[in-house]
Amino acid sequence: MTFRNALAWSLYGQIISYMVFFGSSVVIARLLTPHEVGVFTIAVATIGVLNTLVAFNIGTYVVRATDLHPRTVNAAFTVNGLLSCAIAAAIYLFSVVQGEYLGSPDVAKVLAALAVTPLIGMFEFRPNMMLRRE
């Protein structure tokens, strides 16, 4: 992947991510009560903590590898994808725990809906790492 392609992928990924986040924030601010905004904030904070586990230093390996083969990049992308799927599953399971055992059905609904975010974010891994490597 060339530097320009990696830069374009990273830029488009960030733009789409920010547009979705901004749009959802505007919708949430207009439609929800203060209690519901608090519930959303708790869910987003939980996901933020769990998303820090996704990278798991795989990107550092790709950036610092002296002899980088396409197979290595593909393997790193696959491992990152598996971690992203595991985090998405963990967020969903955490939503079940919130709803059933901790008595927060509102937070559980929001977490269940936001469990898809790591699955979307995993496609940003390859262009970001190649850009950082360049």
Side-chain angles (χ1 to χ4, degrees):
M1 180 174 281
T2 66
F3 178 77
R4 286 182 183 174
N5 286 343
L7 183 63
W9 272 99
S10 179
L11 178 67
Y12 294 140
Q14 287 294 323
I15 288 172
I16 290 170
S17 176
Y18 286 128
M19 285 175 39
V20 168
F21 185 73
F22 179 74
S24 65
S25 296
V26 169
V27 169
I28 287 168
R30 297 283 297 156
L31 298 177
L32 301 181
T33 65
H35 169 74
E36 292 168 334
V37 171
V39 166
F40 177 74
T41 304
I42 291 170
V44 169
T46 303
I47 289 174
V49 169
L50 290 174
N51 276 338
T52 59
L53 303 174
V54 172
F56 206 71
N57 288 332
I58 298 168
T60 305
Y61 174 73
V62 171
V63 170
R64 293 184 177 211
T66 56
D67 191 22
L68 190 63
H69 296 290
R71 285 184 10 209
T72 306
V73 176
N74 292 340
F77 176 76
T78 302
V79 170
N80 183 62
L82 292 173
L83 284 172
S84 295
C85 291
I87 293 297
I91 292 170
Y92 184 77
L93 290 175
F94 194 68
S95 75
V96 171
V97 170
Q98 280 284 344
E100 296 291 324
Y101 302 110
L102 299 179
S104 301
D106 297 335
V107 176
K109 290 176 187 175
V110 174
L111 279 174
L114 292 176
V116 73
T117 55
L119 301 176
I120 295 169
M122 75 179 164
F123 295 106
E124 189 179 336
F125 173 77
R126 183 180 297 208
N128 262 349
M129 290 311 106
M130 298 310 290
L131 181 61
R132 285 178 51 199
R133 183 175 170 81
E134 291 291 324

